Amino acid sequence: MYARPVTATAAALLGIGATLVSGPAARAAGPTAPSERHGEPLVIAHRGASAYAPENTLAAVDLADRMGFDWVENDVQRTEDGELVVLHDDSLTRTTDVEQRFPGRAPWRVRDFTAAEIATLDAGGWFGAAWTGARVPTLKQYLNRVDRNHQKLLLEIKRPELYPGIERDVLRVLRQEGWLDRSHVRRKLVVQSFGADSVRAVHRQRPDVVTGFLGAPPVADLPSYAAFTDQINPSHTTLTADYVAAAHRLKGAHGKRLQVHTWTVNDAVGAARVAGFGVDGIITDRPDVVRDAVG
Ligand code: G3P
Ligand code: CA
């Protein structure tokens, strides 16, 4: 059902953005490259600043930028006609008006719609009337916006088992949009997935790209993951200081300390807790809250 969530008003949220100073000097403290960080954890805006703008839209990227955050996370899937789009769920129902626009196309899966059809959907109204008109971006559109904002991207290949060969497609679009040049690869891009085979495939096809595995493999298995990934990115709900320390004792696929970026931490107490564990990054819908707590 196309429903609007209970949330603060868009006007109030825009007010938050307007009161923040923009520009590089106001950006979250922290390094540009995952391997360069010292001190407090990197703060990564999950699906953009998704507590305050509709997730995975260009508006959420822009808001994260206005709030001063360099790093954004997104989710990538593939349409029926092979276009890569930025969306979390494998169904379009929760975050678009697809049921109204295309009745009779249940279960409204991303992979059953063309890119042209998806481009007509409203991906903002569900979040609040002020966001009506936001679209599901293609990966190409998304990359161009992140670049324009001088931001950096933690790109998640979502449900790779649904999209055989999507790793090659992702790398092709990244290359076409200039994201596999030295500057992006060294400082601005991490590709992650819950699918170990997907992360392996990215590493095999482009060994220079920094990768992350989403999950918490047993400590005994971490060395085998470190062969193809640079980050182990677990849910904060199961994370412990000992687990972070075990990862940090290893070197990742590029010979640097294996990193830990945890998700999705949206409150100050939780942020302080995982920062105390020594995590390298915190992925959050509320980057302002986390920055205030750990920065
Ligand atoms: O980046 C980590 C996080 O996004 C993984 O969970 O379901 O929000 O994609 P999910
Ligand atoms: Ca994600």
Side-chain angles (χ1 to χ4, degrees), residues 233-259:
N233 297 343
S235 165
H236 74 98
T237 56
T238 56
L239 193 61
T240 65
D242 285 348
Y243 192 84
V244 176
H248 283 172
R249 281 194 287 274
L250 299 171
K251 290 196 186 309
H254 290 92
K256 305 274 177 58
R257 188 174 82 167
L258 188 63
Q259 297 203 345

mmCIF file with all atom_site columns, all heavy atoms in Angstrom, residues 233-259:
data_model
loop_
_atom_site.group_PDB
_atom_site.id
_atom_site.type_symbol
_atom_site.label_atom_id
_atom_site.label_alt_id
_atom_site.label_comp_id
_atom_site.label_asym_id
_atom_site.label_entity_id
_atom_site.label_seq_id
_atom_site.pdbx_PDB_ins_code
_atom_site.Cartn_x
_atom_site.Cartn_y
_atom_site.Cartn_z
_atom_site.occupancy
_atom_site.B_iso_or_equiv
_atom_site.pdbx_formal_charge
_atom_site.auth_seq_id
_atom_site.auth_comp_id
_atom_site.auth_asym_id
_atom_site.auth_atom_id
_atom_site.pdbx_PDB_model_num
ATOM 1   N N   . ASN A 1 233 ? 31.773 -5.789  7.822  1.00 0.00 ? 233 ASN A N   1
ATOM 2   C CA  . ASN A 1 233 ? 30.802 -4.791  8.250  1.00 0.00 ? 233 ASN A CA  1
ATOM 3   C C   . ASN A 1 233 ? 29.576 -5.464  8.874  1.00 0.00 ? 233 ASN A C   1
ATOM 4   O O   . ASN A 1 233 ? 28.623 -5.827  8.181  1.00 0.00 ? 233 ASN A O   1
ATOM 5   C CB  . ASN A 1 233 ? 30.416 -3.911  7.055  1.00 0.00 ? 233 ASN A CB  1
ATOM 6   C CG  . ASN A 1 233 ? 31.614 -3.126  6.530  1.00 0.00 ? 233 ASN A CG  1
ATOM 7   O OD1 . ASN A 1 233 ? 32.617 -2.999  7.234  1.00 0.00 ? 233 ASN A OD1 1
ATOM 8   N ND2 . ASN A 1 233 ? 31.525 -2.622  5.324  1.00 0.00 ? 233 ASN A ND2 1
ATOM 9   N N   . PRO A 1 234 ? 29.582 -5.626  10.198 1.00 0.00 ? 234 PRO A N   1
ATOM 10  C CA  . PRO A 1 234 ? 28.521 -6.365  10.876 1.00 0.00 ? 234 PRO A CA  1
ATOM 11  C C   . PRO A 1 234 ? 27.435 -5.435  11.434 1.00 0.00 ? 234 PRO A C   1
ATOM 12  O O   . PRO A 1 234 ? 27.660 -4.252  11.647 1.00 0.00 ? 234 PRO A O   1
ATOM 13  C CB  . PRO A 1 234 ? 29.260 -7.050  12.028 1.00 0.00 ? 234 PRO A CB  1
ATOM 14  C CG  . PRO A 1 234 ? 30.517 -6.272  12.206 1.00 0.00 ? 234 PRO A CG  1
ATOM 15  C CD  . PRO A 1 234 ? 30.676 -5.297  11.101 1.00 0.00 ? 234 PRO A CD  1
ATOM 16  N N   . SER A 1 235 ? 26.290 -6.033  11.722 1.00 0.00 ? 235 SER A N   1
ATOM 17  C CA  . SER A 1 235 ? 25.263 -5.312  12.469 1.00 0.00 ? 235 SER A CA  1
ATOM 18  C C   . SER A 1 235 ? 25.807 -4.953  13.852 1.00 0.00 ? 235 SER A C   1
ATOM 19  O O   . SER A 1 235 ? 26.518 -5.748  14.478 1.00 0.00 ? 235 SER A O   1
ATOM 20  C CB  . SER A 1 235 ? 24.030 -6.197  12.627 1.00 0.00 ? 235 SER A CB  1
ATOM 21  O OG  . SER A 1 235 ? 23.178 -5.657  13.613 1.00 0.00 ? 235 SER A OG  1
ATOM 22  N N   . HIS A 1 236 ? 25.433 -3.786  14.349 1.00 0.00 ? 236 HIS A N   1
ATOM 23  C CA  . HIS A 1 236 ? 25.887 -3.372  15.686 1.00 0.00 ? 236 HIS A CA  1
ATOM 24  C C   . HIS A 1 236 ? 25.282 -4.249  16.777 1.00 0.00 ? 236 HIS A C   1
ATOM 25  O O   . HIS A 1 236 ? 25.805 -4.310  17.897 1.00 0.00 ? 236 HIS A O   1
ATOM 26  C CB  . HIS A 1 236 ? 25.524 -1.907  15.928 1.00 0.00 ? 236 HIS A CB  1
ATOM 27  C CG  . HIS A 1 236 ? 24.061 -1.681  16.186 1.00 0.00 ? 236 HIS A CG  1
ATOM 28  N ND1 . HIS A 1 236 ? 23.539 -1.552  17.452 1.00 0.00 ? 236 HIS A ND1 1
ATOM 29  C CD2 . HIS A 1 236 ? 22.997 -1.580  15.343 1.00 0.00 ? 236 HIS A CD2 1
ATOM 30  C CE1 . HIS A 1 236 ? 22.224 -1.372  17.370 1.00 0.00 ? 236 HIS A CE1 1
ATOM 31  N NE2 . HIS A 1 236 ? 21.880 -1.387  16.099 1.00 0.00 ? 236 HIS A NE2 1
ATOM 32  N N   . THR A 1 237 ? 24.186 -4.937  16.454 1.00 0.00 ? 237 THR A N   1
ATOM 33  C CA  . THR A 1 237 ? 23.467 -5.683  17.494 1.00 0.00 ? 237 THR A CA  1
ATOM 34  C C   . THR A 1 237 ? 24.264 -6.870  18.020 1.00 0.00 ? 237 THR A C   1
ATOM 35  O O   . THR A 1 237 ? 24.041 -7.320  19.142 1.00 0.00 ? 237 THR A O   1
ATOM 36  C CB  . THR A 1 237 ? 22.115 -6.188  16.952 1.00 0.00 ? 237 THR A CB  1
ATOM 37  O OG1 . THR A 1 237 ? 22.357 -6.976  15.775 1.00 0.00 ? 237 THR A OG1 1
ATOM 38  C CG2 . THR A 1 237 ? 21.195 -5.029  16.608 1.00 0.00 ? 237 THR A CG2 1
ATOM 39  N N   . THR A 1 238 ? 25.160 -7.383  17.222 1.00 0.00 ? 238 THR A N   1
ATOM 40  C CA  . THR A 1 238 ? 25.930 -8.551  17.651 1.00 0.00 ? 238 THR A CA  1
ATOM 41  C C   . THR A 1 238 ? 27.406 -8.234  17.872 1.00 0.00 ? 238 THR A C   1
ATOM 42  O O   . THR A 1 238 ? 28.190 -9.118  18.213 1.00 0.00 ? 238 THR A O   1
ATOM 43  C CB  . THR A 1 238 ? 25.843 -9.668  16.586 1.00 0.00 ? 238 THR A CB  1
ATOM 44  O OG1 . THR A 1 238 ? 26.282 -9.142  15.328 1.00 0.00 ? 238 THR A OG1 1
ATOM 45  C CG2 . THR A 1 238 ? 24.413 -10.170 16.443 1.00 0.00 ? 238 THR A CG2 1
ATOM 46  N N   . LEU A 1 239 ? 27.763 -6.973  17.683 1.00 0.00 ? 239 LEU A N   1
ATOM 47  C CA  . LEU A 1 239 ? 29.188 -6.621  17.694 1.00 0.00 ? 239 LEU A CA  1
ATOM 48  C C   . LEU A 1 239 ? 29.749 -6.572  19.119 1.00 0.00 ? 239 LEU A C   1
ATOM 49  O O   . LEU A 1 239 ? 29.064 -6.168  20.056 1.00 0.00 ? 239 LEU A O   1
ATOM 50  C CB  . LEU A 1 239 ? 29.352 -5.244  17.027 1.00 0.00 ? 239 LEU A CB  1
ATOM 51  C CG  . LEU A 1 239 ? 30.768 -4.831  16.663 1.00 0.00 ? 239 LEU A CG  1
ATOM 52  C CD1 . LEU A 1 239 ? 31.379 -5.811  15.673 1.00 0.00 ? 239 LEU A CD1 1
ATOM 53  C CD2 . LEU A 1 239 ? 30.766 -3.415  16.068 1.00 0.00 ? 239 LEU A CD2 1
ATOM 54  N N   . THR A 1 240 ? 31.002 -6.967  19.239 1.00 0.00 ? 240 THR A N   1
ATOM 55  C CA  . THR A 1 240 ? 31.711 -6.863  20.522 1.00 0.00 ? 240 THR A CA  1
ATOM 56  C C   . THR A 1 240 ? 33.087 -6.257  20.276 1.00 0.00 ? 240 THR A C   1
ATOM 57  O O   . THR A 1 240 ? 33.602 -6.281  19.149 1.00 0.00 ? 240 THR A O   1
ATOM 58  C CB  . THR A 1 240 ? 31.914 -8.243  21.178 1.00 0.00 ? 240 THR A CB  1
ATOM 59  O OG1 . THR A 1 240 ? 32.783 -9.019  20.325 1.00 0.00 ? 240 THR A OG1 1
ATOM 60  C CG2 . THR A 1 240 ? 30.596 -8.968  21.382 1.00 0.00 ? 240 THR A CG2 1
ATOM 61  N N   . ALA A 1 241 ? 33.688 -5.757  21.352 1.00 0.00 ? 241 ALA A N   1
ATOM 62  C CA  . ALA A 1 241 ? 35.048 -5.214  21.248 1.00 0.00 ? 241 ALA A CA  1
ATOM 63  C C   . ALA A 1 241 ? 36.032 -6.307  20.831 1.00 0.00 ? 241 ALA A C   1
ATOM 64  O O   . ALA A 1 241 ? 36.972 -6.057  20.062 1.00 0.00 ? 241 ALA A O   1
ATOM 65  C CB  . ALA A 1 241 ? 35.460 -4.604  22.583 1.00 0.00 ? 241 ALA A CB  1
ATOM 66  N N   . ASP A 1 242 ? 35.816 -7.512  21.333 1.00 0.00 ? 242 ASP A N   1
ATOM 67  C CA  . ASP A 1 242 ? 36.721 -8.617  20.985 1.00 0.00 ? 242 ASP A CA  1
ATOM 68  C C   . ASP A 1 242 ? 36.669 -8.917  19.488 1.00 0.00 ? 242 ASP A C   1
ATOM 69  O O   . ASP A 1 242 ? 37.693 -9.229  18.866 1.00 0.00 ? 242 ASP A O   1
ATOM 70  C CB  . ASP A 1 242 ? 36.342 -9.878  21.762 1.00 0.00 ? 242 ASP A CB  1
ATOM 71  C CG  . ASP A 1 242 ? 36.767 -9.793  23.218 1.00 0.00 ? 242 ASP A CG  1
ATOM 72  O OD1 . ASP A 1 242 ? 37.544 -8.884  23.548 1.00 0.00 ? 242 ASP A OD1 1
ATOM 73  O OD2 . ASP A 1 242 ? 36.304 -10.630 24.008 1.00 0.00 ? 242 ASP A OD2 1
ATOM 74  N N   . TYR A 1 243 ? 35.463 -8.821  18.915 1.00 0.00 ? 243 TYR A N   1
ATOM 75  C CA  . TYR A 1 243 ? 35.339 -9.108  17.480 1.00 0.00 ? 243 TYR A CA  1
ATOM 76  C C   . TYR A 1 243 ? 36.086 -8.055  16.665 1.00 0.00 ? 243 TYR A C   1
ATOM 77  O O   . TYR A 1 243 ? 36.800 -8.383  15.705 1.00 0.00 ? 243 TYR A O   1
ATOM 78  C CB  . TYR A 1 243 ? 33.862 -9.156  17.077 1.00 0.00 ? 243 TYR A CB  1
ATOM 79  C CG  . TYR A 1 243 ? 33.650 -9.720  15.701 1.00 0.00 ? 243 TYR A CG  1
ATOM 80  C CD1 . TYR A 1 243 ? 33.583 -11.093 15.502 1.00 0.00 ? 243 TYR A CD1 1
ATOM 81  C CD2 . TYR A 1 243 ? 33.564 -8.887  14.591 1.00 0.00 ? 243 TYR A CD2 1
ATOM 82  C CE1 . TYR A 1 243 ? 33.414 -11.629 14.232 1.00 0.00 ? 243 TYR A CE1 1
ATOM 83  C CE2 . TYR A 1 243 ? 33.395 -9.412  13.316 1.00 0.00 ? 243 TYR A CE2 1
ATOM 84  C CZ  . TYR A 1 243 ? 33.317 -10.783 13.138 1.00 0.00 ? 243 TYR A CZ  1
ATOM 85  O OH  . TYR A 1 243 ? 33.158 -11.303 11.886 1.00 0.00 ? 243 TYR A OH  1
ATOM 86  N N   . VAL A 1 244 ? 35.921 -6.789  17.052 1.00 0.00 ? 244 VAL A N   1
ATOM 87  C CA  . VAL A 1 244 ? 36.630 -5.717  16.344 1.00 0.00 ? 244 VAL A CA  1
ATOM 88  C C   . VAL A 1 244 ? 38.142 -5.931  16.458 1.00 0.00 ? 244 VAL A C   1
ATOM 89  O O   . VAL A 1 244 ? 38.884 -5.810  15.469 1.00 0.00 ? 244 VAL A O   1
ATOM 90  C CB  . VAL A 1 244 ? 36.231 -4.333  16.906 1.00 0.00 ? 244 VAL A CB  1
ATOM 91  C CG1 . VAL A 1 244 ? 37.040 -3.229  16.241 1.00 0.00 ? 244 VAL A CG1 1
ATOM 92  C CG2 . VAL A 1 244 ? 34.731 -4.096  16.721 1.00 0.00 ? 244 VAL A CG2 1
ATOM 93  N N   . ALA A 1 245 ? 38.597 -6.281  17.653 1.00 0.00 ? 245 ALA A N   1
ATOM 94  C CA  . ALA A 1 245 ? 40.035 -6.494  17.857 1.00 0.00 ? 245 ALA A CA  1
ATOM 95  C C   . ALA A 1 245 ? 40.537 -7.664  16.999 1.00 0.00 ? 245 ALA A C   1
ATOM 96  O O   . ALA A 1 245 ? 41.654 -7.609  16.451 1.00 0.00 ? 245 ALA A O   1
ATOM 97  C CB  . ALA A 1 245 ? 40.306 -6.755  19.331 1.00 0.00 ? 245 ALA A CB  1
ATOM 98  N N   . ALA A 1 246 ? 39.716 -8.707  16.888 1.00 0.00 ? 246 ALA A N   1
ATOM 99  C CA  . ALA A 1 246 ? 40.125 -9.867  16.078 1.00 0.00 ? 246 ALA A CA  1
ATOM 100 C C   . ALA A 1 246 ? 40.270 -9.471  14.610 1.00 0.00 ? 246 ALA A C   1
ATOM 101 O O   . ALA A 1 246 ? 41.225 -9.892  13.927 1.00 0.00 ? 246 ALA A O   1
ATOM 102 C CB  . ALA A 1 246 ? 39.091 -10.989 16.225 1.00 0.00 ? 246 ALA A CB  1
ATOM 103 N N   . ALA A 1 247 ? 39.349 -8.662  14.135 1.00 0.00 ? 247 ALA A N   1
ATOM 104 C CA  . ALA A 1 247 ? 39.460 -8.191  12.742 1.00 0.00 ? 247 ALA A CA  1
ATOM 105 C C   . ALA A 1 247 ? 40.701 -7.327  12.585 1.00 0.00 ? 247 ALA A C   1
ATOM 106 O O   . ALA A 1 247 ? 41.442 -7.452  11.591 1.00 0.00 ? 247 ALA A O   1
ATOM 107 C CB  . ALA A 1 247 ? 38.207 -7.416  12.352 1.00 0.00 ? 247 ALA A CB  1
ATOM 108 N N   . HIS A 1 248 ? 40.929 -6.468  13.540 1.00 0.00 ? 248 HIS A N   1
ATOM 109 C CA  . HIS A 1 248 ? 42.054 -5.531  13.435 1.00 0.00 ? 248 HIS A CA  1
ATOM 110 C C   . HIS A 1 248 ? 43.409 -6.221  13.479 1.00 0.00 ? 248 HIS A C   1
ATOM 111 O O   . HIS A 1 248 ? 44.421 -5.639  13.062 1.00 0.00 ? 248 HIS A O   1
ATOM 112 C CB  . HIS A 1 248 ? 41.959 -4.481  14.548 1.00 0.00 ? 248 HIS A CB  1
ATOM 113 C CG  . HIS A 1 248 ? 40.941 -3.417  14.272 1.00 0.00 ? 248 HIS A CG  1
ATOM 114 N ND1 . HIS A 1 248 ? 40.563 -2.470  15.198 1.00 0.00 ? 248 HIS A ND1 1
ATOM 115 C CD2 . HIS A 1 248 ? 40.232 -3.147  13.145 1.00 0.00 ? 248 HIS A CD2 1
ATOM 116 C CE1 . HIS A 1 248 ? 39.655 -1.665  14.659 1.00 0.00 ? 248 HIS A CE1 1
ATOM 117 N NE2 . HIS A 1 248 ? 39.441 -2.052  13.431 1.00 0.00 ? 248 HIS A NE2 1
ATOM 118 N N   . ARG A 1 249 ? 43.441 -7.428  13.967 1.00 0.00 ? 249 ARG A N   1
ATOM 119 C CA  . ARG A 1 249 ? 44.726 -8.151  13.987 1.00 0.00 ? 249 ARG A CA  1
ATOM 120 C C   . ARG A 1 249 ? 45.106 -8.666  12.597 1.00 0.00 ? 249 ARG A C   1
ATOM 121 O O   . ARG A 1 249 ? 46.242 -9.087  12.383 1.00 0.00 ? 249 ARG A O   1
ATOM 122 C CB  . ARG A 1 249 ? 44.654 -9.320  14.975 1.00 0.00 ? 249 ARG A CB  1
ATOM 123 C CG  . ARG A 1 249 ? 44.811 -8.909  16.433 1.00 0.00 ? 249 ARG A CG  1
ATOM 124 C CD  . ARG A 1 249 ? 45.084 -10.101 17.337 1.00 0.00 ? 249 ARG A CD  1
ATOM 125 N NE  . ARG A 1 249 ? 43.908 -10.922 17.546 1.00 0.00 ? 249 ARG A NE  1
ATOM 126 C CZ  . ARG A 1 249 ? 42.980 -10.706 18.475 1.00 0.00 ? 249 ARG A CZ  1
ATOM 127 N NH1 . ARG A 1 249 ? 43.099 -9.668  19.297 1.00 0.00 ? 249 ARG A NH1 1
ATOM 128 N NH2 . ARG A 1 249 ? 41.941 -11.502 18.600 1.00 0.00 ? 249 ARG A NH2 1
ATOM 129 N N   . LEU A 1 250 ? 44.153 -8.595  11.665 1.00 0.00 ? 250 LEU A N   1
ATOM 130 C CA  . LEU A 1 250 ? 44.399 -9.121  10.316 1.00 0.00 ? 250 LEU A CA  1
ATOM 131 C C   . LEU A 1 250 ? 44.624 -7.995  9.323  1.00 0.00 ? 250 LEU A C   1
ATOM 132 O O   . LEU A 1 250 ? 44.238 -6.850  9.566  1.00 0.00 ? 250 LEU A O   1
ATOM 133 C CB  . LEU A 1 250 ? 43.192 -9.956  9.872  1.00 0.00 ? 250 LEU A CB  1
ATOM 134 C CG  . LEU A 1 250 ? 42.863 -11.177 10.743 1.00 0.00 ? 250 LEU A CG  1
ATOM 135 C CD1 . LEU A 1 250 ? 41.526 -11.767 10.318 1.00 0.00 ? 250 LEU A CD1 1
ATOM 136 C CD2 . LEU A 1 250 ? 43.978 -12.214 10.662 1.00 0.00 ? 250 LEU A CD2 1
ATOM 137 N N   . LYS A 1 251 ? 45.229 -8.347  8.213  1.00 0.00 ? 251 LYS A N   1
ATOM 138 C CA  . LYS A 1 251 ? 45.355 -7.414  7.100  1.00 0.00 ? 251 LYS A CA  1
ATOM 139 C C   . LYS A 1 251 ? 44.338 -7.809  6.029  1.00 0.00 ? 251 LYS A C   1
ATOM 140 O O   . LYS A 1 251 ? 44.139 -8.990  5.739  1.00 0.00 ? 251 LYS A O   1
ATOM 141 C CB  . LYS A 1 251 ? 46.763 -7.436  6.531  1.00 0.00 ? 251 LYS A CB  1
ATOM 142 C CG  . LYS A 1 251 ? 47.802 -6.811  7.471  1.00 0.00 ? 251 LYS A CG  1
ATOM 143 C CD  . LYS A 1 251 ? 49.078 -6.500  6.734  1.00 0.00 ? 251 LYS A CD  1
ATOM 144 C CE  . LYS A 1 251 ? 50.179 -6.021  7.679  1.00 0.00 ? 251 LYS A CE  1
ATOM 145 N NZ  . LYS A 1 251 ? 49.758 -4.929  8.577  1.00 0.00 ? 251 LYS A NZ  1
ATOM 146 N N   . GLY A 1 252 ? 43.704 -6.778  5.434  1.00 0.00 ? 252 GLY A N   1
ATOM 147 C CA  . GLY A 1 252 ? 42.719 -7.031  4.401  1.00 0.00 ? 252 GLY A CA  1
ATOM 148 C C   . GLY A 1 252 ? 43.354 -7.250  3.045  1.00 0.00 ? 252 GLY A C   1
ATOM 149 O O   . GLY A 1 252 ? 44.584 -7.369  2.913  1.00 0.00 ? 252 GLY A O   1
ATOM 150 N N   . ALA A 1 253 ? 42.514 -7.259  2.030  1.00 0.00 ? 253 ALA A N   1
ATOM 151 C CA  . ALA A 1 253 ? 42.955 -7.635  0.688  1.00 0.00 ? 253 ALA A CA  1
ATOM 152 C C   . ALA A 1 253 ? 43.998 -6.696  0.106  1.00 0.00 ? 253 ALA A C   1
ATOM 153 O O   . ALA A 1 253 ? 44.720 -7.078  -0.825 1.00 0.00 ? 253 ALA A O   1
ATOM 154 C CB  . ALA A 1 253 ? 41.748 -7.696  -0.242 1.00 0.00 ? 253 ALA A CB  1
ATOM 155 N N   . HIS A 1 254 ? 44.080 -5.491  0.634  1.00 0.00 ? 254 HIS A N   1
ATOM 156 C CA  . HIS A 1 254 ? 45.069 -4.544  0.138  1.00 0.00 ? 254 HIS A CA  1
ATOM 157 C C   . HIS A 1 254 ? 46.219 -4.323  1.114  1.00 0.00 ? 254 HIS A C   1
ATOM 158 O O   . HIS A 1 254 ? 46.940 -3.326  1.024  1.00 0.00 ? 254 HIS A O   1
ATOM 159 C CB  . HIS A 1 254 ? 44.396 -3.218  -0.224 1.00 0.00 ? 254 HIS A CB  1
ATOM 160 C CG  . HIS A 1 254 ? 43.527 -3.338  -1.442 1.00 0.00 ? 254 HIS A CG  1
ATOM 161 N ND1 . HIS A 1 254 ? 42.198 -3.637  -1.375 1.00 0.00 ? 254 HIS A ND1 1
ATOM 162 C CD2 . HIS A 1 254 ? 43.827 -3.260  -2.764 1.00 0.00 ? 254 HIS A CD2 1
ATOM 163 C CE1 . HIS A 1 254 ? 41.690 -3.714  -2.605 1.00 0.00 ? 254 HIS A CE1 1
ATOM 164 N NE2 . HIS A 1 254 ? 42.666 -3.506  -3.463 1.00 0.00 ? 254 HIS A NE2 1
ATOM 165 N N   . GLY A 1 255 ? 46.355 -5.250  2.063  1.00 0.00 ? 255 GLY A N   1
ATOM 166 C CA  . GLY A 1 255 ? 47.528 -5.216  2.939  1.00 0.00 ? 255 GLY A CA  1
ATOM 167 C C   . GLY A 1 255 ? 47.425 -4.231  4.079  1.00 0.00 ? 255 GLY A C   1
ATOM 168 O O   . GLY A 1 255 ? 48.384 -4.057  4.844  1.00 0.00 ? 255 GLY A O   1
ATOM 169 N N   . LYS A 1 256 ? 46.249 -3.593  4.227  1.00 0.00 ? 256 LYS A N   1
ATOM 170 C CA  . LYS A 1 256 ? 46.035 -2.674  5.349  1.00 0.00 ? 256 LYS A CA  1
ATOM 171 C C   . LYS A 1 256 ? 45.204 -3.394  6.406  1.00 0.00 ? 256 LYS A C   1
ATOM 172 O O   . LYS A 1 256 ? 44.536 -4.400  6.120  1.00 0.00 ? 256 LYS A O   1
ATOM 173 C CB  . LYS A 1 256 ? 45.284 -1.424  4.875  1.00 0.00 ? 256 LYS A CB  1
ATOM 174 C CG  . LYS A 1 256 ? 45.961 -0.696  3.715  1.00 0.00 ? 256 LYS A CG  1
ATOM 175 C CD  . LYS A 1 256 ? 46.985 0.272   4.241  1.00 0.00 ? 256 LYS A CD  1
ATOM 176 C CE  . LYS A 1 256 ? 47.743 0.959   3.109  1.00 0.00 ? 256 LYS A CE  1
ATOM 177 N NZ  . LYS A 1 256 ? 46.891 1.691   2.187  1.00 0.00 ? 256 LYS A NZ  1
ATOM 178 N N   . ARG A 1 257 ? 45.182 -2.837  7.611  1.00 0.00 ? 257 ARG A N   1
ATOM 179 C CA  . ARG A 1 257 ? 44.414 -3.433  8.694  1.00 0.00 ? 257 ARG A CA  1
ATOM 180 C C   . ARG A 1 257 ? 42.962 -3.682  8.272  1.00 0.00 ? 257 ARG A C   1
ATOM 181 O O   . ARG A 1 257 ? 42.321 -2.787  7.709  1.00 0.00 ? 257 ARG A O   1
ATOM 182 C CB  . ARG A 1 257 ? 44.451 -2.493  9.909  1.00 0.00 ? 257 ARG A CB  1
ATOM 183 C CG  . ARG A 1 257 ? 43.854 -3.097  11.151 1.00 0.00 ? 257 ARG A CG  1
ATOM 184 C CD  . ARG A 1 257 ? 44.051 -2.195  12.355 1.00 0.00 ? 257 ARG A CD  1
ATOM 185 N NE  . ARG A 1 257 ? 43.043 -1.129  12.401 1.00 0.00 ? 257 ARG A NE  1
ATOM 186 C CZ  . ARG A 1 257 ? 42.828 -0.361  13.452 1.00 0.00 ? 257 ARG A CZ  1
ATOM 187 N NH1 . ARG A 1 257 ? 43.571 -0.519  14.542 1.00 0.00 ? 257 ARG A NH1 1
ATOM 188 N NH2 . ARG A 1 257 ? 41.911 0.579   13.432 1.00 0.00 ? 257 ARG A NH2 1
ATOM 189 N N   . LEU A 1 258 ? 42.483 -4.888  8.508  1.00 0.00 ? 258 LEU A N   1
ATOM 190 C CA  . LEU A 1 258 ? 41.090 -5.207  8.189  1.00 0.00 ? 258 LEU A CA  1
ATOM 191 C C   . LEU A 1 258 ? 40.177 -4.323  9.028  1.00 0.00 ? 258 LEU A C   1
ATOM 192 O O   . LEU A 1 258 ? 40.316 -4.257  10.252 1.00 0.00 ? 258 LEU A O   1
ATOM 193 C CB  . LEU A 1 258 ? 40.827 -6.689  8.500  1.00 0.00 ? 258 LEU A CB  1
ATOM 194 C CG  . LEU A 1 258 ? 39.483 -7.267  8.067  1.00 0.00 ? 258 LEU A CG  1
ATOM 195 C CD1 . LEU A 1 258 ? 39.310 -7.222  6.540  1.00 0.00 ? 258 LEU A CD1 1
ATOM 196 C CD2 . LEU A 1 258 ? 39.349 -8.716  8.565  1.00 0.00 ? 258 LEU A CD2 1
ATOM 197 N N   . GLN A 1 259 ? 39.258 -3.641  8.355  1.00 0.00 ? 259 GLN A N   1
ATOM 198 C CA  . GLN A 1 259 ? 38.441 -2.647  9.041  1.00 0.00 ? 259 GLN A CA  1
ATOM 199 C C   . GLN A 1 259 ? 37.063 -3.184  9.393  1.00 0.00 ? 259 GLN A C   1
ATOM 200 O O   . GLN A 1 259 ? 36.596 -4.175  8.818  1.00 0.00 ? 259 GLN A O   1
ATOM 201 C CB  . GLN A 1 259 ? 38.299 -1.420  8.158  1.00 0.00 ? 259 GLN A CB  1
ATOM 202 C CG  . GLN A 1 259 ? 39.645 -0.746  7.896  1.00 0.00 ? 259 GLN A CG  1
ATOM 203 C CD  . GLN A 1 259 ? 39.480 0.695   7.525  1.00 0.00 ? 259 GLN A CD  1
ATOM 204 O OE1 . GLN A 1 259 ? 38.397 1.162   7.198  1.00 0.00 ? 259 GLN A OE1 1
ATOM 205 N NE2 . GLN A 1 259 ? 40.572 1.437   7.585  1.00 0.00 ? 259 GLN A NE2 1
#
